[in-house]
Amino acid sequence: MKKSIALVFGALFLFSVANAAVTVTRNGKTSKYENGSTVRVTGQSAAVVNYNGVKISVPAGVAVTIAENADGSVNVSGTNLSGVKVENNTVSSTGAVSFSVSPKTKDITVNKGTLVVQDAYGNTTTVAAGSSFSATEAVAASSSLPAFVNEAVLGENTASQQATQDVEEMLSPSSPNN
């Protein structure tokens, strides 16, 4: 009986370690941690942390602390961040910063400091403490024009069309006065 109980608990322990929600991959080796663990990634070499479904890539030379908040979001804190990837966004800061990432929406909320976020399309946004960056809104904003439309040319054409219309109205005596 004692052997079977020990075997069951051993199997449960191995199962929980194998299905850990926190993994750190560095130099080709993956370490697994229990849910709710605080993970400190130092700047010795690049690391990829998967914390409750949030992928965070930390380049060499950057140190961060990653933990779980009471609401289930993932908290990342560090000083002078540069080149840290959170999902498809690259974040950086000057000075100390703390931000949270929602595992469901991947939205970033800045708790302390100021964070500069560059999305996958190269758009850069500065997010101050108390504000959020929505990954889904950034994707929607970037996909509002088809990829083949050059926004600069579109703006020039619109201005050119308006100038032509203004000249035509000024030259034509029969044009209605608006």
Side-chain angles (χ1 to χ4, degrees), residues 21-93:
V22 181
T23 60
V24 178
T25 304
R26 178 180 276 173
N27 297 328
K29 296 179 182 178
T30 300
S31 302
K32 298 179 181 185
Y33 300 93
E34 290 183 36
N35 285 340
S37 296
T38 297
V39 178
R40 288 181 184 81
V41 179
T42 58
Q44 298 169 358
S45 62
V48 176
V49 179
N50 189 327
Y51 202 114
N52 291 346
V54 176
K55 182 179 175 184
I56 303 163
S57 300
V58 183
V62 177
V64 296
T65 301
I66 305 169
E68 185 176 17
N69 289 329
D71 65 358
S73 63
V74 178
N75 187 66
V76 181
S77 60
T79 302
N80 298 328
L81 301 184
S82 177
V84 175
K85 288 190 67 84
V86 178
E87 294 296 326
N88 295 322
N89 305 303
T90 303
V91 300
S92 59
S93 73

Side-chain angles (χ1 to χ4, degrees), residues 95-108:
V97 68
S98 172
F99 61 94
S100 301
V101 183
S102 167
K104 293 179 184 175
T105 64
K106 308 302 186 214
D107 290 351
I108 299 171

Side-chain angles (χ1 to χ4, degrees), residues 104-139:
K104 293 179 184 175
T105 64
K106 308 302 186 214
D107 290 351
I108 299 171
T109 302
V110 178
N111 305 317
K112 173 184 154 191
T114 301
L115 192 68
V116 177
V117 181
Q118 182 179 37
D119 67 16
Y121 302 100
N123 301 317
T124 303
T125 305
T126 301
V127 185
S131 299
S132 296
F133 172 82
S134 174
T136 53
E137 288 177 16
V139 169

